[in-house]
Amino acid sequence: MSALRTLDDLLAEGVSGRRVLVRADLNVPLDKQTGAITDDGRIRAVLPTLGALVEAGAKVVVCSHLGRPKGAPDPQFSLGPVAGRLGELLGAPVHFATDTVGDSARSTVAGLADGQVALLENLRFNAGETSKDEAERGAFADHLAAFGDAYVDDAFGAVHRKHASVFDVPARLPHVAGRLVLREVEVLSKLTADPERPYVVVLGGSKVSDKLAVIEALLPTVDRLLIGGGMCFTFLKAQGLEVGTSLLEKDMVETCRNLLERSGGKIMLPVDVVVADAFAPDAAHDTVRVDGIPSHRLGLDVGPETVAGFSAALSQAKTIFWNGPMGVFEMPAFAAGTRGIAEAITKADAFSVVGGGDSAAAVRALRLDETDFNHISTGGGASLEYLEGKTLPGIAALEN
Ligand code: 3PG
Ligand code: MG
């Protein structure tokens, strides 16, 4: 990759009194009932960039998406609550525009004093943001670009999206990578370039289909690939085991069988799982061997023997990448697998990287010490696509 221009390059030019448009990924999880922010990790992750710009006297215009609204305003996806939290963390009020490129946005941006911060309403309230049509995206990008004299991309979690604010705006403004994007790229490039060995990857989460490309890309590179989470059941099925009513992607069984055959023994699967009567926090549950899953029960976590076996592999590692929970960690009865693996990662004498929204959220929800990991990525899909070696539109746009 060619060298990116960075925030420090922009700061060296002087930004006092200039409007700097910052694309952030403030797509934080919200409580379904109350709408409260349940994990503010992504907000905290952009503070270094925003703080530096504020200090340097820039007029800072922040934009982000939240959730997947369908190109029109949808109150449940408003960034309003995020503006409040961002202001608390910055220690100064954040001026919130109730639209993205309309009257409210224009007057909010025009009213900024040096060193003040504005947040625009959700980018995805506008069809142009995610449009596949270049002209439609371009027209929206023109509006956004009018709010900045320079552009900073600090939305690592969105760099894999060819969206207006990620891909088209940097073509219209002087552009640099923010502190978060730079750190993410530095860390992930260590994993792809020349990882210290053994290099052990732990993958979880619900779907094999989401992880297929990264499994294909990682198999030749890693020394061990440990698979847990909902996706392990499709692999167990591929080994000829019965998985009861566990999550199963029937159309992926053959693919999994093929991967197992080609993996040269690198893939490790669970040997025991926690099965329950229902997908519910208070469901009756037991630990069983993987060849004894009852037909009417479903697996919701990996079992203790699996944790012990995976932990032994992790204890040998010099480099670890972990993406995806081992079980339904949000329910205490099914959190032990994820907690056990997370703890094994922190104990290993290895360079450890946690990738992804869910695994990062799990680290915080289980109240593990974030500083025990070398890096917790803010990107789920983005970090996986980086490891796959794909060209990421947001990074490519910064390189141009
Ligand atoms: C994420 O949560 O993975 C990023 O914010 C990107 O969101 P998206 O998958 O809806 O594009
Ligand atoms: Mg995603």
Side-chain angles (χ1 to χ4, degrees):
M1 174 196 320
S2 58
L4 298 175
R5 291 192 76 237
T6 69
L7 186 68
D8 285 330
D9 298 326
L10 181 66
L11 293 171
E13 288 168 11
V15 292
S16 178
R18 291 172 74 195
R19 298 166 310 151
V20 178
L21 180 65
V22 180
R23 173 53 157 111
D25 179 1
L26 305 177
N27 183 21
V28 291
L30 303 176
D31 185 282
K32 281 189 190 73
Q33 258 86 52
T34 65
I37 297 165
T38 55
D39 178 27
D40 65 1
R42 279 182 165 164
I43 307 178
R44 288 183 285 119
V46 294
L47 294 176
T49 289
L50 299 184
L53 288 167
V54 165
E55 186 135 313
K59 297 172 176 176
V60 186
V61 182
V62 183
C63 60
S64 175
H65 71 286
L66 187 142
R68 292 181 176 171
K70 300 273 172 271
D74 183 347
Q76 61 172 320
F77 296 116
S78 173
L79 279 166
V82 171
R85 183 74 188 122
L86 179 58
E88 282 168 23
L89 291 167
L90 282 170
V94 166
H95 303 265
F96 183 60
T98 56
D99 56 26
T100 321
V101 294
D103 290 344
S104 174
R106 271 192 295 273
S107 64
T108 303
V109 173
L112 282 181
D114 295 359
Q116 287 188 340
V117 178
L119 175 63
L120 308 178
E121 184 53 287
N122 196 334
L123 290 158
R124 293 185 185 173
F125 285 2
N126 307 268
E129 169 67 358
T130 59
S131 177
K132 299 243 186 302
D133 181 79
E134 305 262 332
E136 192 184 10
R137 265 201 340 264
F140 181 59
D142 286 340
H143 286 296
L144 278 174
F147 291 148
D149 304 306
Y151 168 88
V152 178
D153 187 0
D154 219 20
F156 181 73
V159 291
H160 59 318
R161 301 295 182 214
K162 194 175 179 180
H163 292 169
S165 63
V166 176
F167 184 73
D168 305 273
V169 173
R172 289 162 166 77
L173 288 175
H175 48 263
V176 302
R179 299 235 197 282
L180 175 64
V181 162
L182 207 61
R183 164 102 181 120
E184 295 266 16
V185 169
E186 268 167 18
V187 168
L188 293 172
S189 64
K190 272 198 191 189
L191 301 186
T192 47
D194 189 17
E196 206 185 328
R197 293 180 183 281
Y199 174 22
V200 179
V201 170
V202 189
L203 291 180
S206 47
K207 288 187 174 168
V208 185
S209 46
D210 285 350
K211 303 278 158 77
L212 188 61
V214 79
I215 295 174
E216 290 279 4
L218 285 172
L219 262 187
T221 320
V222 300
D223 298 295
R224 282 248 123 133
L225 181 56
L226 318 181
I227 294 181
M231 66 191 253
C232 78
F233 297 101
T234 305
F235 278 95
L236 293 172
K237 184 83 184 173
Q239 287 192 319
L241 298 169
E242 288 313 320
V243 298
T245 57
S246 306
L247 208 71
L248 176 67
E249 281 179 278
K250 286 209 181 76
D251 53 346
M252 295 297 294
V253 172
E254 199 46 48
T255 306
C256 288
R257 188 172 297 135
N258 182 268
L259 283 169
L260 288 168
E261 269 165 19
R262 287 190 286 125
S263 81
K266 287 178 179 179
I267 295 181
M268 261 179 98
L269 293 173
V271 292
D272 60 348
V273 290
V274 182
V275 292
D277 288 343
F279 186 90
D282 54 357
H285 56 274
D286 298 290
T287 301
V288 298
R289 311 274 318 163
V290 289
D291 58 3
I293 300 176
S295 60
H296 62 288
R297 305 189 94 184
L298 77 168
L300 295 181
D301 196 10
V302 299
E305 271 191 53
T306 302
V307 171
F310 282 13
S311 299
L314 288 164
S315 71
Q316 312 283 313
K318 285 286 170 227
T319 305
I320 298 172
F321 176 74
W322 170 36
N323 180 294
M326 295 293 101
V328 188
F329 72 89
E330 298 89 342
M331 302 180 187
F334 312 111
T338 303
R339 176 184 294 283
I341 295 310
E343 283 172 355
I345 294 172
T346 63
K347 281 186 200 132
D349 181 20
F351 180 73
S352 59
V353 180
V354 183
D358 282 352
S359 14
V363 165
R364 291 185 281 261
L366 298 172
R367 302 198 178 283
L368 299 163
D369 188 346
E370 289 177 62
T371 60
D372 285 343
F373 301 88
N374 289 85
H375 182 67
I376 299 186
S377 177
T378 54
S383 59
L384 291 178
E385 290 196 20
Y386 189 95
L387 294 185
E388 283 164 33
K390 278 197 187 158
T391 300
L392 304 176
I395 303 287
L398 293 178
E399 285 171 337
N400 287 331

